[in-house]
Amino acid sequence: MRLFSAAILGGSLIVAAAIAAYAFYSVHALDNVLSVTGSAKQEVTSDTVKWTIDVTRKVSENNMQSGYPLLAADVNAVKAFLKANNVADDAVTVSQVFVEQVYDYNSNNGGPQQYNLREEITVNSKDVQGVNALAKNITDLASKGVFVSNNQLEFYISTLPDLRVSLLADAVKDAKARATEIAKAGGQSVGVLRSASSGVVQVLPPNSIDVSDYGSYDTQSIIKEVMVTAHASFSVR
């Protein structure tokens, strides 16, 4: 019984080690096929940035109508600020006006209800570094009485579909290299590629290991690491 338990424990450790290395294989005795997972990774700099700015005006129910012109003036001030800092007009979109009730649970005076009038200004630009620097100076608008909330910048890779194809080819090469070493250890050699399929794409911060079974896309880092896996099967002889 002890020998049997030790064998089970040893097998479990081998499986765990294989998973940790992010590569696994299986040999099908009937059709003599070796299945391996390979991977490829590349560091990429984001080439697109999305910046959302919330512009708000707090008004009471008694002067709701007067708040709309004030909000419109604030939005125009933000648009002028962006234009003065070389953000193209076609990179800027403005949402509809959102009306949000303000709840004050500490107030018992029964006064007029308060509301926030809010519009979202969204910047989509290829000037990643310029917008990133500008976002840090948005507080300059406060001196003009414009109340804005600076949301988290989001960084993207517009060439990701093409990059995925390129990395997939490298991942298959990596899978073949792994298969060759595995077959060699068993006194065999790798033959032709029988089948191959792509795994999920992982877009990660540099040096991250936080992968997901469903893929991931980090939007907070300008510099990213894109990783692709490939599941490949080779004949062995």
Side-chain angles (χ1 to χ4, degrees):
M1 180 60 73
R2 291 182 178 178
L3 181 60
F4 180 67
S5 299
I8 293 177
L9 177 59
S12 299
L13 292 175
I14 292 173
V15 172
I19 293 175
Y22 208 71
F24 59 89
Y25 70 93
S26 62
V27 178
H28 305 284
L30 293 179
D31 52 9
N32 220 27
V33 170
L34 179 64
S35 297
V36 182
T37 296
S39 65
K41 182 185 294 185
Q42 182 175 327
E43 184 175 274
V44 182
T45 300
S46 302
D47 62 358
T48 306
V49 59
K50 178 181 178 181
W51 180 23
T52 304
I53 307 166
D54 285 338
V55 185
T56 59
R57 273 284 175 174
K58 188 175 182 179
V59 297
S60 71
E61 58 184 338
N62 295 333
N63 61 357
M64 180 79 74
Q65 292 303 316
S66 63
Y68 286 98
L70 293 174
L71 180 64
D74 290 345
V75 168
N76 288 334
V78 175
K79 291 171 65 177
F81 170 81
L82 295 173
K83 188 170 186 177
N85 285 277
N86 302 315
V87 177
D89 290 340
D90 59 2
V92 180
T93 57
V94 181
S95 74
Q96 66 190 54
V97 178
F98 299 97
V99 181
E100 300 161 343
Q101 187 173 346
V102 178
Y103 293 95
D104 185 357
Y105 297 101
N106 296 319
S107 176
N108 297 312
N109 56 19
Q113 180 61 55
Q114 300 293 308
Y115 293 88
N116 278 332
L117 304 181
R118 179 175 64 87
E119 279 189 84
E120 292 181 356
I121 298 177
T122 303
V123 176
N124 287 286
S125 174
K126 293 289 187 180
D127 184 10
V128 174
Q129 296 297 339
V131 171
N132 186 41
L134 184 59
K136 299 174 182 178
N137 297 320
I138 193 71
T139 52
D140 292 347
L141 287 167
S143 62
K144 301 178 182 179
V146 180
F147 303 99
V148 297
S149 175
N150 192 7
N151 292 343
Q152 179 74 46
L153 294 173
E154 299 175 24
F155 302 100
Y156 296 94
I157 305 167
S158 65
T159 58
L160 186 59
D162 293 334
L163 180 60
R164 176 181 176 275
V165 173
S166 174
L167 287 176
L168 180 58
D170 291 338
V172 172
K173 293 178 183 178
D174 180 60
K176 184 174 183 179
R178 294 176 187 271
T180 299
E181 292 302 315
I182 293 168
K184 186 187 299 183
Q188 296 176 298
S189 61
V190 170
V192 297
L193 176 67
R194 291 287 190 86
S195 64
S197 62
S198 174
V200 296
V201 178
Q202 312 281 353
V203 182
L204 307 168
N207 304 314
S208 173
I209 58 173
D210 189 21
V211 298
S212 168
D213 291 340
Y214 302 99
S216 59
Y217 201 127
D218 164 64
T219 61
Q220 298 184 17
S221 306
I222 295 179
I223 306 297
K224 308 179 191 294
E225 287 184 345
V226 180
M227 184 174 71
V228 173
T229 59
H231 310 295
S233 295
F234 301 89
S235 63
V236 291
R237 54 183 184 271

